[in-house]
């Protein structure tokens, strides 16, 4: 099954399920769904940063400081966060990511999803999926901050990162 055929729960403005749709149709019609964002840190506290491949359905070739993705139909945010983090980092045996907060991302142009933000420590050697990740590195947070205005980031990841900084009190 292709990524576009994956079935997603469609949700309302209160994050209540109101239907289901294939991912490709949900994206094409701007249907609100659920996503999990996981900030992965290594043992030194550096943040996993990557550039998405050019073949991604949403925000191809953009940088992101989160791993994660859509929550499948009937899947919990917590399960999606762990599944997506392990898939994108190319590891097994991660601890369960810690949920920090959830917010509604809406760019006003048809991209809208409930976004659960998590954090996890990854002490394992990463082997990111080649079909998902074109480049990656663990960056110190001050270096990441310097790149915010110079690299082309995913808008939803940037919004989640800004909210995370506010959540921690350093935004």
């Amino acid at each position: 099954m292709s990524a576009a055929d994956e079935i997603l729960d469609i949700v309302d403005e209160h994050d209540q399920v109101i239907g289901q749709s294939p991912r490709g149709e949900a994206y094409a019609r701007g249907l609100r769904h659920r996503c999990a964002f996981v900030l992965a840190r290594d043992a030194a506290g550096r943040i996993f940063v990557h550039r998405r491949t050019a073949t991604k359905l949403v925000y191809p070739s953009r940088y992101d400081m989160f791993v994660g993705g859509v929550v499948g139909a009937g899947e919990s945010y917590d399960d999606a966060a762990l599944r997506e983090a392990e898939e994108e980092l190319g590891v097994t045996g991660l601890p369960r990511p810690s949920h920090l907060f959830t917010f509604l991302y809406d760019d006003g142009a048809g991209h809208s999803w409930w976004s659960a933000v998590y954090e996890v420590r990854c002490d394992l050697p990463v082997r990111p999926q080649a079909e998902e990740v074109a480049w990656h590195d663990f960056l110190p947070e001050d270096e990441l901050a310097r790149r915010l205005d110079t690299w082309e980031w995913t808008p939803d990841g940037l919004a989640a990162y800004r909210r995370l900084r506010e959540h921690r009190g350093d935004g």
Side-chain angles (χ1 to χ4, degrees):
M1 170 170 47
S2 75
D5 296 327
E6 181 180 2
I7 303 298
L8 308 181
D9 284 332
I10 304 305
V11 295
D12 65 14
E13 65 276 8
H14 304 291
D15 198 17
Q16 299 301 308
V17 176
I18 58 172
Q20 293 183 334
S21 174
R23 182 197 295 206
E25 182 181 335
Y27 287 176
R29 294 179 49 206
L31 302 175
R32 186 178 296 121
H33 53 283
R34 294 172 170 159
C35 290
F37 292 73
V38 183
L39 190 81
R41 293 182 184 272
D42 66 6
R46 298 174 302 174
I47 298 171
F48 181 83
V49 175
H50 66 284
R51 187 170 48 82
R52 298 162 62 88
T53 58
T55 57
K56 295 291 284 181
L57 288 174
V58 175
Y59 308 131
S61 300
R62 299 240 184 144
Y63 288 91
D64 203 345
M65 65 285 288
F66 293 95
V67 294
V70 297
V71 177
E75 186 177 31
S76 71
Y77 282 113
D78 289 352
D79 289 345
L82 179 59
R83 175 182 55 78
E84 287 282 352
E86 287 189 335
E87 284 177 7
E88 286 194 29
L89 294 170
V91 301
T92 56
L94 269 183
R96 188 165 281 279
S98 300
H99 179 256
L100 303 175
F101 60 91
T102 302
F103 74 101
L104 176 60
Y105 173 78
D106 191 332
D107 70 358
H111 293 112
S112 178
W113 38 85
W114 278 98
S115 308
V117 178
Y118 293 80
E119 192 165 26
V120 71
R121 181 170 159 166
C122 179
D123 295 336
L124 304 164
V126 298
R127 294 174 306 285
Q129 288 180 309
E131 59 272 15
E132 302 266 344
V133 176
W135 169 90
H136 74 279
D137 201 359
F138 280 93
L139 300 180
E141 194 147 6
D142 61 339
E143 183 175 344
L144 169 59
R146 285 194 302 275
R147 308 273 186 198
L148 290 178
D149 294 327
T150 59
W151 288 358
E152 193 173 5
W153 297 91
T154 62
D156 59 342
L158 194 55
Y161 185 69
R162 289 185 172 138
R163 286 179 183 255
L164 174 61
R165 293 192 57 166
E166 290 171 9
H167 176 78
R168 293 188 317 212
D170 57 13

